[in-house]
Amino acid sequence: MLVLRLLNVVAPAYFLCISLVTFVLQIFLFIPSMFRDPSTTPLLSPALLHGALFFFLSANALGNYVLVIQSSPEDLGKGLNLGKRAEAVADWLDGSRSPGSALPSTHFCRLCARVTQRHDHHCFFTGNCIGSRNMRNFIMFCLYTSLACLDSLVAGMAYISAALSMSFANPLAFLTLLPHSISQFFSGALLSSEMFVILMLYLWLGIGLACAGFCCHQMLLILRGQTRYQLRKGMVVRAQPWRENLQEVFGKRWLLGLLIPVLNVGSDCHRQKEK
Protein backbone atom coordinates (compact mmCIF):
# COMPACT_ATOMS: atom_id res chain seq x y z
CA MET A 1 0.00 0.00 0.00
CA LEU A 2 2.89 2.36 0.75
CA VAL A 3 4.35 1.72 -2.71
CA LEU A 4 0.99 2.47 -4.33
CA ARG A 5 0.62 5.71 -2.40
CA LEU A 6 4.14 6.74 -3.42
CA LEU A 7 3.35 5.90 -7.05
CA ASN A 8 0.18 7.97 -6.74
CA VAL A 9 2.38 11.02 -6.03
CA VAL A 10 5.34 10.33 -8.33
CA ALA A 11 3.38 9.43 -11.49
CA PRO A 12 1.58 12.80 -11.88
CA ALA A 13 4.88 14.66 -11.33
CA TYR A 14 6.53 12.44 -13.95
CA PHE A 15 3.78 13.20 -16.48
CA LEU A 16 4.03 16.94 -15.87
CA CYS A 17 7.81 16.82 -16.35
CA ILE A 18 7.43 14.97 -19.66
CA SER A 19 4.84 17.55 -20.78
CA LEU A 20 7.15 20.44 -19.90
CA VAL A 21 10.12 18.87 -21.72
CA THR A 22 7.95 18.21 -24.79
CA PHE A 23 6.73 21.80 -24.83
CA VAL A 24 10.26 23.21 -24.57
CA LEU A 25 11.60 20.96 -27.33
CA GLN A 26 8.73 21.80 -29.68
CA ILE A 27 8.80 25.58 -29.19
CA PHE A 28 12.52 26.25 -28.84
CA LEU A 29 14.10 23.49 -30.95
CA PHE A 30 11.85 21.72 -33.46
CA ILE A 31 9.76 24.63 -34.80
CA PRO A 32 12.62 27.19 -35.15
CA SER A 33 14.99 24.69 -36.78
CA MET A 34 12.60 22.92 -39.16
CA PHE A 35 10.33 25.66 -40.50
CA ARG A 36 12.41 28.26 -42.31
CA ASP A 37 10.65 29.29 -45.49
CA PRO A 38 10.88 33.06 -46.10
CA SER A 39 8.74 32.81 -49.25
CA THR A 40 5.57 32.11 -47.27
CA THR A 41 3.48 34.77 -45.58
CA PRO A 42 3.64 34.94 -41.77
CA LEU A 43 -0.03 33.95 -41.38
CA LEU A 44 0.42 30.82 -43.49
CA SER A 45 3.94 29.91 -42.44
CA PRO A 46 4.49 26.23 -41.56
CA ALA A 47 5.96 27.25 -38.21
CA LEU A 48 2.80 29.09 -37.20
CA LEU A 49 0.50 26.32 -38.43
CA HIS A 50 2.48 23.59 -36.69
CA GLY A 51 2.71 25.68 -33.53
CA ALA A 52 -1.05 26.25 -33.53
CA LEU A 53 -1.67 22.51 -33.97
CA PHE A 54 0.68 21.63 -31.14
CA PHE A 55 -0.87 24.24 -28.83
CA PHE A 56 -4.35 22.90 -29.61
CA LEU A 57 -3.36 19.30 -28.84
CA SER A 58 -1.37 20.12 -25.72
CA ALA A 59 -4.00 22.53 -24.36
CA ASN A 60 -6.71 19.89 -24.69
CA ALA A 61 -4.51 17.20 -23.16
CA LEU A 62 -3.49 19.31 -20.16
CA GLY A 63 -6.94 20.87 -19.81
CA ASN A 64 -8.68 17.51 -19.60
CA TYR A 65 -5.90 16.29 -17.30
CA VAL A 66 -6.69 19.10 -14.86
CA LEU A 67 -10.43 18.39 -15.09
CA VAL A 68 -9.84 14.72 -14.32
CA ILE A 69 -7.94 15.72 -11.18
CA GLN A 70 -10.48 18.34 -10.10
CA SER A 71 -13.48 16.04 -10.69
CA SER A 72 -12.86 13.98 -7.59
CA PRO A 73 -14.86 10.82 -6.85
CA GLU A 74 -18.25 11.60 -5.43
CA ASP A 75 -18.70 11.20 -1.70
CA LEU A 76 -21.73 8.94 -1.71
CA GLY A 77 -21.69 8.03 1.96
CA LYS A 78 -24.49 10.43 2.88
CA GLY A 79 -26.88 9.57 0.07
CA LEU A 80 -26.63 5.80 0.01
CA ASN A 81 -28.00 4.90 3.45
CA LEU A 82 -24.63 3.54 4.50
CA GLY A 83 -24.85 4.53 8.14
CA LYS A 84 -21.84 5.99 9.91
CA ARG A 85 -18.82 6.82 7.83
CA ALA A 86 -16.39 4.49 9.58
CA GLU A 87 -18.81 1.58 9.49
CA ALA A 88 -19.58 2.25 5.82
CA VAL A 89 -15.90 2.18 4.93
CA ALA A 90 -15.46 -1.09 6.80
CA ASP A 91 -18.41 -2.60 4.94
CA TRP A 92 -16.92 -1.61 1.61
CA LEU A 93 -13.51 -3.00 2.54
CA ASP A 94 -14.63 -6.45 3.72
CA GLY A 95 -17.46 -6.78 1.17
CA SER A 96 -20.16 -7.31 3.81
CA ARG A 97 -22.47 -4.52 2.68
CA SER A 98 -26.10 -5.41 2.09
CA PRO A 99 -27.43 -5.57 -1.50
CA GLY A 100 -29.54 -2.41 -1.10
CA SER A 101 -26.96 -0.33 0.73
CA ALA A 102 -25.32 1.18 -2.35
CA LEU A 103 -25.98 2.06 -5.94
CA PRO A 104 -24.83 -0.37 -8.66
CA SER A 105 -21.21 -0.13 -9.82
CA THR A 106 -20.04 1.80 -6.75
CA HIS A 107 -16.66 0.96 -5.28
CA PHE A 108 -14.57 2.11 -2.33
CA CYS A 109 -10.97 2.99 -3.29
CA ARG A 110 -8.38 2.52 -0.56
CA LEU A 111 -6.07 5.14 -2.11
CA CYS A 112 -8.75 7.84 -2.44
CA ALA A 113 -10.65 6.74 0.70
CA ARG A 114 -13.88 7.55 -1.17
CA VAL A 115 -16.72 5.72 -2.85
CA THR A 116 -16.88 6.28 -6.62
CA GLN A 117 -20.07 5.93 -8.58
CA ARG A 118 -19.67 3.79 -11.72
CA HIS A 119 -16.08 3.09 -10.75
CA ASP A 120 -13.76 2.15 -13.63
CA HIS A 121 -10.22 2.14 -12.21
CA HIS A 122 -7.72 4.20 -10.22
CA CYS A 123 -5.39 6.15 -12.50
CA PHE A 124 -1.96 6.72 -10.98
CA PHE A 125 -0.95 9.30 -13.60
CA THR A 126 -3.78 11.56 -12.43
CA GLY A 127 -3.76 10.41 -8.81
CA ASN A 128 -7.52 10.03 -8.94
CA CYS A 129 -10.24 7.44 -9.48
CA ILE A 130 -12.03 7.38 -12.82
CA GLY A 131 -15.80 7.18 -12.57
CA SER A 132 -19.02 8.79 -13.74
CA ARG A 133 -17.85 12.36 -13.11
CA ASN A 134 -14.58 12.32 -15.03
CA MET A 135 -14.76 9.42 -17.49
CA ARG A 136 -15.27 11.62 -20.55
CA ASN A 137 -12.43 13.96 -19.55
CA PHE A 138 -10.17 10.95 -19.00
CA ILE A 139 -10.89 9.60 -22.49
CA MET A 140 -10.26 13.04 -24.02
CA PHE A 141 -7.02 13.25 -22.03
CA CYS A 142 -5.84 9.90 -23.43
CA LEU A 143 -6.89 10.85 -26.97
CA TYR A 144 -5.14 14.21 -27.08
CA THR A 145 -2.08 12.91 -25.25
CA SER A 146 -1.62 10.24 -27.93
CA LEU A 147 -2.08 12.85 -30.69
CA ALA A 148 0.38 15.26 -29.02
CA CYS A 149 2.93 12.45 -28.71
CA LEU A 150 2.45 11.55 -32.38
CA ASP A 151 2.93 15.19 -33.38
CA SER A 152 6.08 15.45 -31.25
CA LEU A 153 7.35 12.14 -32.65
CA VAL A 154 6.99 13.33 -36.26
CA ALA A 155 8.59 16.70 -35.48
CA GLY A 156 11.43 15.04 -33.58
CA MET A 157 12.12 12.59 -36.40
CA ALA A 158 12.24 15.50 -38.88
CA TYR A 159 14.72 17.30 -36.63
CA ILE A 160 16.95 14.24 -36.21
CA SER A 161 16.75 13.54 -39.95
CA ALA A 162 18.06 17.05 -40.68
CA ALA A 163 20.60 17.14 -37.84
CA LEU A 164 22.15 13.73 -38.59
CA SER A 165 21.54 13.75 -42.37
CA MET A 166 19.71 10.46 -42.26
CA SER A 167 16.50 9.15 -43.82
CA PHE A 168 13.63 7.30 -42.19
CA ALA A 169 12.25 5.95 -45.48
CA ASN A 170 13.26 2.48 -44.36
CA PRO A 171 11.08 1.37 -41.41
CA LEU A 172 14.07 -0.40 -39.86
CA ALA A 173 15.89 2.93 -39.60
CA PHE A 174 13.85 3.95 -36.56
CA LEU A 175 14.33 0.57 -34.87
CA THR A 176 18.09 0.68 -35.30
CA LEU A 177 18.36 4.39 -34.43
CA LEU A 178 18.76 3.89 -30.68
CA PRO A 179 21.60 1.29 -30.66
CA HIS A 180 23.54 3.23 -33.31
CA SER A 181 23.02 6.47 -31.40
CA ILE A 182 24.25 4.97 -28.13
CA SER A 183 27.47 3.75 -29.77
CA GLN A 184 28.01 7.13 -31.46
CA PHE A 185 27.30 9.00 -28.23
CA PHE A 186 29.94 7.12 -26.21
CA SER A 187 32.42 7.49 -29.05
CA GLY A 188 31.91 11.27 -29.04
CA ALA A 189 30.34 11.52 -32.51
CA LEU A 190 26.90 12.48 -31.20
CA LEU A 191 25.97 15.51 -29.11
CA SER A 192 24.19 15.08 -25.78
CA SER A 193 21.26 17.23 -26.96
CA GLU A 194 20.75 15.03 -30.03
CA MET A 195 20.96 11.89 -27.88
CA PHE A 196 18.35 13.35 -25.52
CA VAL A 197 15.98 14.01 -28.42
CA ILE A 198 16.43 10.43 -29.67
CA LEU A 199 15.55 9.07 -26.23
CA MET A 200 12.48 11.31 -26.18
CA LEU A 201 11.38 9.89 -29.54
CA TYR A 202 11.04 6.41 -28.06
CA LEU A 203 9.37 7.83 -24.96
CA TRP A 204 6.78 9.66 -27.09
CA LEU A 205 6.20 6.50 -29.08
CA GLY A 206 5.60 4.43 -25.97
CA ILE A 207 3.31 6.96 -24.28
CA GLY A 208 1.39 7.59 -27.50
CA LEU A 209 0.77 3.90 -28.18
CA ALA A 210 -0.21 3.24 -24.56
CA CYS A 211 -2.69 6.14 -24.46
CA ALA A 212 -4.15 5.23 -27.88
CA GLY A 213 -4.61 1.58 -26.90
CA PHE A 214 -6.13 2.51 -23.56
CA CYS A 215 -8.50 4.97 -25.25
CA CYS A 216 -9.67 2.35 -27.77
CA HIS A 217 -10.17 -0.26 -25.05
CA GLN A 218 -12.13 2.23 -22.94
CA MET A 219 -14.37 3.16 -25.88
CA LEU A 220 -15.20 -0.51 -26.49
CA LEU A 221 -16.22 -0.90 -22.86
CA ILE A 222 -18.37 2.24 -23.05
CA LEU A 223 -20.15 0.95 -26.16
CA ARG A 224 -20.98 -2.20 -24.20
CA GLY A 225 -22.11 -0.15 -21.19
CA GLN A 226 -19.42 -1.69 -19.01
CA THR A 227 -16.53 -0.50 -16.87
CA ARG A 228 -13.15 -2.11 -16.25
CA TYR A 229 -14.14 -2.78 -12.66
CA GLN A 230 -17.30 -4.59 -13.79
CA LEU A 231 -15.30 -6.55 -16.35
CA ARG A 232 -12.68 -7.56 -13.80
CA LYS A 233 -15.31 -8.62 -11.24
CA GLY A 234 -17.49 -10.39 -13.82
CA MET A 235 -20.54 -8.24 -13.06
CA VAL A 236 -23.62 -8.45 -15.27
CA VAL A 237 -24.50 -5.11 -16.89
CA ARG A 238 -27.87 -3.88 -18.08
CA ALA A 239 -28.19 -4.28 -21.85
CA GLN A 240 -29.11 -1.08 -23.70
CA PRO A 241 -28.36 0.43 -27.14
CA TRP A 242 -24.81 1.62 -27.73
CA ARG A 243 -26.04 5.13 -28.50
CA GLU A 244 -27.45 5.45 -25.00
CA ASN A 245 -24.20 4.13 -23.52
CA LEU A 246 -22.25 6.80 -25.39
CA GLN A 247 -24.68 9.53 -24.35
CA GLU A 248 -24.34 8.59 -20.68
CA VAL A 249 -20.62 9.29 -20.86
CA PHE A 250 -20.26 12.03 -23.48
CA GLY A 251 -23.65 13.75 -23.24
CA LYS A 252 -25.66 15.27 -26.05
CA ARG A 253 -23.23 18.14 -26.64
CA TRP A 254 -20.26 15.83 -27.13
CA LEU A 255 -18.78 17.99 -29.92
CA LEU A 256 -18.13 20.82 -27.44
CA GLY A 257 -16.05 18.51 -25.26
CA LEU A 258 -14.19 17.22 -28.29
CA LEU A 259 -12.93 20.69 -29.23
CA ILE A 260 -12.30 22.30 -25.83
CA PRO A 261 -11.70 20.83 -22.35
CA VAL A 262 -14.97 21.17 -20.41
CA LEU A 263 -16.73 19.22 -17.71
CA ASN A 264 -19.43 16.69 -18.52
CA VAL A 265 -22.02 18.71 -20.41
CA GLY A 266 -25.51 17.35 -21.04
CA SER A 267 -24.81 13.90 -19.60
CA ASP A 268 -27.35 12.02 -17.56
CA CYS A 269 -25.06 12.00 -14.52
CA HIS A 270 -24.67 15.78 -14.66
CA ARG A 271 -28.42 16.36 -15.01
CA GLN A 272 -29.17 14.09 -12.07
CA LYS A 273 -26.67 15.95 -9.91
CA GLU A 274 -28.24 19.30 -10.78
CA LYS A 275 -31.68 17.99 -9.77
Tab-separated table of all heavy atoms in Angstrom, residues 222-255:
chain	number	residue	atom	x	y	z
A	222	ILE	N	-17.259	1.290	-23.128
A	222	ILE	CA	-18.372	2.238	-23.053
A	222	ILE	C	-19.485	1.823	-24.006
A	222	ILE	O	-20.671	1.909	-23.677
A	222	ILE	CB	-17.877	3.659	-23.355
A	222	ILE	CG1	-16.975	4.150	-22.227
A	222	ILE	CG2	-19.048	4.625	-23.548
A	222	ILE	CD1	-16.351	5.497	-22.488
A	223	LEU	N	-19.133	1.394	-25.203
A	223	LEU	CA	-20.147	0.945	-26.158
A	223	LEU	C	-20.946	-0.236	-25.610
A	223	LEU	O	-22.135	-0.387	-25.934
A	223	LEU	CB	-19.483	0.569	-27.486
A	223	LEU	CG	-18.896	1.720	-28.301
A	223	LEU	CD1	-18.133	1.194	-29.501
A	223	LEU	CD2	-19.988	2.683	-28.750
A	224	ARG	N	-20.292	-1.063	-24.807
A	224	ARG	CA	-20.980	-2.203	-24.198
A	224	ARG	C	-21.683	-1.827	-22.898
A	224	ARG	O	-22.349	-2.660	-22.291
A	224	ARG	CB	-19.971	-3.316	-23.920
A	224	ARG	CG	-19.348	-3.905	-25.169
A	224	ARG	CD	-18.156	-4.770	-24.834
A	224	ARG	NE	-18.478	-5.806	-23.860
A	224	ARG	CZ	-17.575	-6.641	-23.345
A	224	ARG	NH1	-16.304	-6.538	-23.711
A	224	ARG	NH2	-17.937	-7.560	-22.477
A	225	GLY	N	-21.511	-0.571	-22.442
A	225	GLY	CA	-22.110	-0.149	-21.188
A	225	GLY	C	-21.457	-0.762	-19.977
A	225	GLY	O	-22.105	-1.005	-18.957
A	226	GLN	N	-20.144	-0.985	-20.052
A	226	GLN	CA	-19.418	-1.694	-19.007
A	226	GLN	C	-18.195	-0.910	-18.593
A	226	GLN	O	-17.653	-0.105	-19.352
A	226	GLN	CB	-19.009	-3.081	-19.519
A	226	GLN	CG	-18.587	-4.067	-18.457
A	226	GLN	CD	-18.329	-5.440	-19.048
A	226	GLN	OE1	-18.002	-5.582	-20.215
A	226	GLN	NE2	-18.486	-6.479	-18.241
A	227	THR	N	-17.749	-1.103	-17.373
A	227	THR	CA	-16.525	-0.504	-16.874
A	227	THR	C	-15.472	-1.581	-16.662
A	227	THR	O	-15.772	-2.780	-16.647
A	227	THR	CB	-16.778	0.233	-15.545
A	227	THR	OG1	-17.186	-0.721	-14.548
A	227	THR	CG2	-17.870	1.290	-15.708
A	228	ARG	N	-14.225	-1.140	-16.493
A	228	ARG	CA	-13.147	-2.106	-16.253
A	228	ARG	C	-13.352	-2.839	-14.936
A	228	ARG	O	-13.021	-4.028	-14.810
A	228	ARG	CB	-11.802	-1.384	-16.247
A	228	ARG	CG	-11.373	-0.836	-17.601
A	228	ARG	CD	-10.016	-0.195	-17.516
A	228	ARG	NE	-8.999	-1.130	-17.095
A	228	ARG	CZ	-7.761	-0.775	-16.741
A	228	ARG	NH1	-7.409	0.490	-16.744
A	228	ARG	NH2	-6.885	-1.682	-16.391
A	229	TYR	N	-13.890	-2.144	-13.951
A	229	TYR	CA	-14.144	-2.783	-12.661
A	229	TYR	C	-15.206	-3.879	-12.800
A	229	TYR	O	-15.059	-4.975	-12.246
A	229	TYR	CB	-14.586	-1.725	-11.655
A	229	TYR	CG	-14.931	-2.289	-10.289
A	229	TYR	CD1	-13.927	-2.704	-9.428
A	229	TYR	CD2	-16.259	-2.394	-9.874
A	229	TYR	CE1	-14.230	-3.218	-8.180
A	229	TYR	CE2	-16.567	-2.913	-8.629
A	229	TYR	CZ	-15.555	-3.319	-7.782
A	229	TYR	OH	-15.852	-3.837	-6.556
A	230	GLN	N	-16.261	-3.587	-13.554
A	230	GLN	CA	-17.297	-4.594	-13.786
A	230	GLN	C	-16.749	-5.773	-14.582
A	230	GLN	O	-17.094	-6.928	-14.317
A	230	GLN	CB	-18.477	-3.966	-14.519
A	230	GLN	CG	-19.247	-2.947	-13.702
A	230	GLN	CD	-20.293	-2.234	-14.517
A	230	GLN	OE1	-20.177	-2.105	-15.740
A	230	GLN	NE2	-21.324	-1.744	-13.863
A	231	LEU	N	-15.900	-5.477	-15.561
A	231	LEU	CA	-15.299	-6.551	-16.352
A	231	LEU	C	-14.391	-7.422	-15.509
A	231	LEU	O	-14.394	-8.661	-15.628
A	231	LEU	CB	-14.533	-5.941	-17.529
A	231	LEU	CG	-13.833	-6.916	-18.474
A	231	LEU	CD1	-14.864	-7.781	-19.200
A	231	LEU	CD2	-12.977	-6.152	-19.487
A	232	ARG	N	-13.610	-6.797	-14.641
A	232	ARG	CA	-12.685	-7.555	-13.797
A	232	ARG	C	-13.423	-8.406	-12.770
A	232	ARG	O	-12.990	-9.521	-12.454
A	232	ARG	CB	-11.733	-6.582	-13.092
A	232	ARG	CG	-10.623	-7.261	-12.316
A	232	ARG	CD	-9.598	-6.275	-11.835
A	232	ARG	NE	-10.154	-5.347	-10.856
A	232	ARG	CZ	-10.391	-4.081	-11.078
A	232	ARG	NH1	-10.155	-3.561	-12.275
A	232	ARG	NH2	-10.881	-3.290	-10.131
A	233	LYS	N	-14.538	-7.901	-12.249
A	233	LYS	CA	-15.310	-8.625	-11.242
A	233	LYS	C	-16.341	-9.570	-11.847
A	233	LYS	O	-16.995	-10.308	-11.114
A	233	LYS	CB	-16.015	-7.636	-10.309
A	233	LYS	CG	-15.066	-6.777	-9.484
A	233	LYS	CD	-14.261	-7.625	-8.516
A	233	LYS	CE	-13.369	-6.760	-7.653
A	233	LYS	NZ	-12.582	-7.552	-6.677
A	234	GLY	N	-16.518	-9.529	-13.176
A	234	GLY	CA	-17.493	-10.391	-13.818
A	234	GLY	C	-18.935	-10.006	-13.535
A	234	GLY	O	-19.811	-10.879	-13.487
A	235	MET	N	-19.189	-8.708	-13.351
A	235	MET	CA	-20.543	-8.242	-13.056
A	235	MET	C	-21.389	-8.212	-14.326
A	235	MET	O	-20.890	-7.927	-15.416
A	235	MET	CB	-20.503	-6.836	-12.442
A	235	MET	CG	-19.779	-6.751	-11.118
A	235	MET	SD	-19.767	-5.065	-10.474
A	235	MET	CE	-18.909	-5.304	-8.926
A	236	VAL	N	-22.670	-8.496	-14.166
A	236	VAL	CA	-23.619	-8.446	-15.274
A	236	VAL	C	-24.119	-7.019	-15.427
A	236	VAL	O	-24.528	-6.391	-14.444
A	236	VAL	CB	-24.803	-9.405	-15.039
A	236	VAL	CG1	-25.789	-9.333	-16.194
A	236	VAL	CG2	-24.291	-10.827	-14.854
A	237	VAL	N	-24.074	-6.484	-16.637
A	237	VAL	CA	-24.497	-5.111	-16.894
A	237	VAL	C	-25.851	-5.123	-17.602
A	237	VAL	O	-26.221	-6.091	-18.268
A	237	VAL	CB	-23.463	-4.356	-17.757
A	237	VAL	CG1	-22.152	-4.246	-17.014
A	237	VAL	CG2	-23.243	-5.061	-19.095
A	238	ARG	N	-26.553	-4.014	-17.447
A	238	ARG	CA	-27.865	-3.878	-18.078
A	238	ARG	C	-27.684	-3.606	-19.560
A	238	ARG	O	-26.994	-2.680	-19.956
A	238	ARG	CB	-28.635	-2.732	-17.418
A	238	ARG	CG	-30.007	-2.458	-18.023
A	238	ARG	CD	-30.756	-1.458	-17.160
A	238	ARG	NE	-29.997	-0.235	-17.003
A	238	ARG	CZ	-30.106	0.820	-17.822
A	238	ARG	NH1	-30.929	0.763	-18.870
A	238	ARG	NH2	-29.408	1.912	-17.600
A	239	ALA	N	-28.317	-4.424	-20.400
A	239	ALA	CA	-28.192	-4.276	-21.852
A	239	ALA	C	-29.036	-3.099	-22.329
A	239	ALA	O	-30.221	-2.993	-21.991
A	239	ALA	CB	-28.634	-5.553	-22.552
A	240	GLN	N	-28.422	-2.194	-23.096
A	240	GLN	CA	-29.112	-1.075	-23.701
A	240	GLN	C	-28.374	-0.683	-24.969
A	240	GLN	O	-27.224	-1.069	-25.171
A	240	GLN	CB	-29.216	0.106	-22.737
A	240	GLN	CG	-27.888	0.701	-22.302
A	240	GLN	CD	-28.069	1.852	-21.327
A	240	GLN	OE1	-29.169	2.124	-20.853
A	240	GLN	NE2	-26.987	2.548	-21.025
A	241	PRO	N	-29.007	0.076	-25.868
A	241	PRO	CA	-28.362	0.435	-27.139
A	241	PRO	C	-27.048	1.184	-26.920
A	241	PRO	O	-26.886	1.916	-25.939
A	241	PRO	CB	-29.409	1.325	-27.820
A	241	PRO	CG	-30.710	0.912	-27.221
A	241	PRO	CD	-30.404	0.540	-25.797
A	242	TRP	N	-26.130	1.002	-27.863
A	242	TRP	CA	-24.808	1.619	-27.725
A	242	TRP	C	-24.884	3.138	-27.785
A	242	TRP	O	-24.036	3.828	-27.206
A	242	TRP	CB	-23.865	1.083	-28.796
A	242	TRP	CG	-24.292	1.380	-30.214
A	242	TRP	CD1	-25.076	0.610	-31.015
A	242	TRP	CD2	-23.947	2.536	-30.990
A	242	TRP	NE1	-25.260	1.198	-32.242
A	242	TRP	CE2	-24.568	2.389	-32.263
A	242	TRP	CE3	-23.188	3.672	-30.753
A	242	TRP	CZ2	-24.450	3.330	-33.268
A	242	TRP	CZ3	-23.056	4.619	-31.754
A	242	TRP	CH2	-23.691	4.447	-32.996
A	243	ARG	N	-25.897	3.678	-28.457
A	243	ARG	CA	-26.039	5.134	-28.501
A	243	ARG	C	-26.330	5.697	-27.104
A	243	ARG	O	-25.807	6.755	-26.730
A	243	ARG	CB	-27.150	5.522	-29.473
A	243	ARG	CG	-26.843	5.193	-30.935
A	243	ARG	CD	-27.995	5.610	-31.837
A	243	ARG	NE	-27.759	5.233	-33.224
A	243	ARG	CZ	-27.114	5.991	-34.102
A	243	ARG	NH1	-26.664	7.183	-33.725
A	243	ARG	NH2	-26.933	5.574	-35.338
A	244	GLU	N	-27.154	4.998	-26.353
A	244	GLU	CA	-27.447	5.447	-24.998
A	244	GLU	C	-26.218	5.325	-24.096
A	244	GLU	O	-26.005	6.161	-23.211
A	244	GLU	CB	-28.610	4.646	-24.426
A	244	GLU	CG	-29.929	4.856	-25.161
A	244	GLU	CD	-31.066	4.086	-24.520
A	244	GLU	OE1	-30.843	3.525	-23.410
A	244	GLU	OE2	-32.162	4.028	-25.109
A	245	ASN	N	-25.435	4.276	-24.299
A	245	ASN	CA	-24.204	4.129	-23.520
A	245	ASN	C	-23.241	5.285	-23.784
A	245	ASN	O	-22.614	5.804	-22.855
A	245	ASN	CB	-23.538	2.802	-23.856
A	245	ASN	CG	-24.366	1.602	-23.414
A	245	ASN	OD1	-25.095	1.680	-22.442
A	245	ASN	ND2	-24.243	0.505	-24.140
A	246	LEU	N	-23.111	5.673	-25.056
A	246	LEU	CA	-22.251	6.801	-25.387
A	246	LEU	C	-22.783	8.103	-24.802
A	246	LEU	O	-22.015	8.941	-24.302
A	246	LEU	CB	-22.110	6.941	-26.906
A	246	LEU	CG	-21.237	5.916	-27.626
A	246	LEU	CD1	-21.271	6.157	-29.123
A	246	LEU	CD2	-19.805	5.976	-27.116
A	247	GLN	N	-24.098	8.288	-24.841
A	247	GLN	CA	-24.685	9.530	-24.350
A	247	GLN	C	-24.530	9.664	-22.846
A	247	GLN	O	-24.394	10.771	-22.330
A	247	GLN	CB	-26.161	9.594	-24.735
A	247	GLN	CG	-26.829	10.917	-24.376
A	247	GLN	CD	-28.246	10.991	-24.916
A	247	GLN	OE1	-28.574	10.392	-25.937
A	247	GLN	NE2	-29.090	11.727	-24.212
A	248	GLU	N	-24.533	8.544	-22.120
A	248	GLU	CA	-24.340	8.594	-20.677
A	248	GLU	C	-22.961	9.124	-20.307
A	248	GLU	O	-22.792	9.752	-19.264
A	248	GLU	CB	-24.546	7.210	-20.072
A	248	GLU	CG	-25.999	6.762	-20.018
A	248	GLU	CD	-26.148	5.429	-19.334
A	248	GLU	OE1	-25.095	4.840	-18.984
A	248	GLU	OE2	-27.282	4.963	-19.152
A	249	VAL	N	-21.985	8.864	-21.152
A	249	VAL	CA	-20.615	9.294	-20.861
A	249	VAL	C	-20.305	10.650	-21.483
A	249	VAL	O	-19.763	11.540	-20.821
A	249	VAL	CB	-19.605	8.236	-21.362
A	249	VAL	CG1	-18.176	8.721	-21.154
A	249	VAL	CG2	-19.817	6.919	-20.638
A	250	PHE	N	-20.655	10.833	-22.756
A	250	PHE	CA	-20.261	12.035	-23.479
A	250	PHE	C	-21.335	13.111	-23.512
A	250	PHE	O	-21.033	14.255	-23.825
A	250	PHE	CB	-19.866	11.675	-24.920
A	250	PHE	CG	-18.637	10.832	-25.007
A	250	PHE	CD1	-18.717	9.456	-25.073
A	250	PHE	CD2	-17.384	11.417	-25.001
A	250	PHE	CE1	-17.590	8.670	-25.148
A	250	PHE	CE2	-16.241	10.645	-25.076
A	250	PHE	CZ	-16.343	9.270	-25.144
A	251	GLY	N	-22.588	12.772	-23.218
A	251	GLY	CA	-23.654	13.749	-23.240
A	251	GLY	C	-24.109	14.071	-24.653
A	251	GLY	O	-23.549	13.598	-25.640
A	252	LYS	N	-25.133	14.900	-24.749
A	252	LYS	CA	-25.664	15.270	-26.054
A	252	LYS	C	-24.758	16.265	-26.773
A	252	LYS	O	-24.654	16.245	-27.996
A	252	LYS	CB	-27.063	15.858	-25.901
A	252	LYS	CG	-28.104	14.847	-25.417
A	252	LYS	CD	-29.483	15.474	-25.348
A	252	LYS	CE	-30.522	14.447	-24.908
A	252	LYS	NZ	-31.888	15.038	-24.822
A	253	ARG	N	-24.126	17.146	-26.035
A	253	ARG	CA	-23.233	18.142	-26.644
A	253	ARG	C	-21.789	17.636	-26.610
A	253	ARG	O	-20.891	18.289	-26.089
A	253	ARG	CB	-23.382	19.486	-25.916
A	253	ARG	CG	-24.706	20.183	-26.201
A	253	ARG	CD	-24.887	21.424	-25.359
A	253	ARG	NE	-25.276	21.092	-23.985
A	253	ARG	CZ	-25.483	21.993	-23.028
A	253	ARG	NH1	-25.307	23.280	-23.299
A	253	ARG	NH2	-25.840	21.631	-21.815
A	254	TRP	N	-21.583	16.470	-27.174
A	254	TRP	CA	-20.260	15.833	-27.135
A	254	TRP	C	-19.242	16.587	-27.983
A	254	TRP	O	-18.041	16.536	-27.712
A	254	TRP	CB	-20.369	14.398	-27.622
A	254	TRP	CG	-20.947	14.278	-29.013
A	254	TRP	CD1	-22.269	14.158	-29.338
A	254	TRP	CD2	-20.228	14.302	-30.245
A	254	TRP	NE1	-22.425	14.092	-30.694
A	254	TRP	CE2	-21.191	14.186	-31.289
A	254	TRP	CE3	-18.884	14.412	-30.583
A	254	TRP	CZ2	-20.829	14.172	-32.630
A	254	TRP	CZ3	-18.537	14.390	-31.922
A	254	TRP	CH2	-19.484	14.272	-32.928
A	255	LEU	N	-19.710	17.289	-29.042
A	255	LEU	CA	-18.783	17.990	-29.916
A	255	LEU	C	-18.068	19.116	-29.180
A	255	LEU	O	-16.897	19.409	-29.454
A	255	LEU	CB	-19.529	18.540	-31.129
A	255	LEU	CG	-18.674	19.214	-32.206
A	255	LEU	CD1	-17.655	18.239	-32.767
A	255	LEU	CD2	-19.559	19.762	-33.321
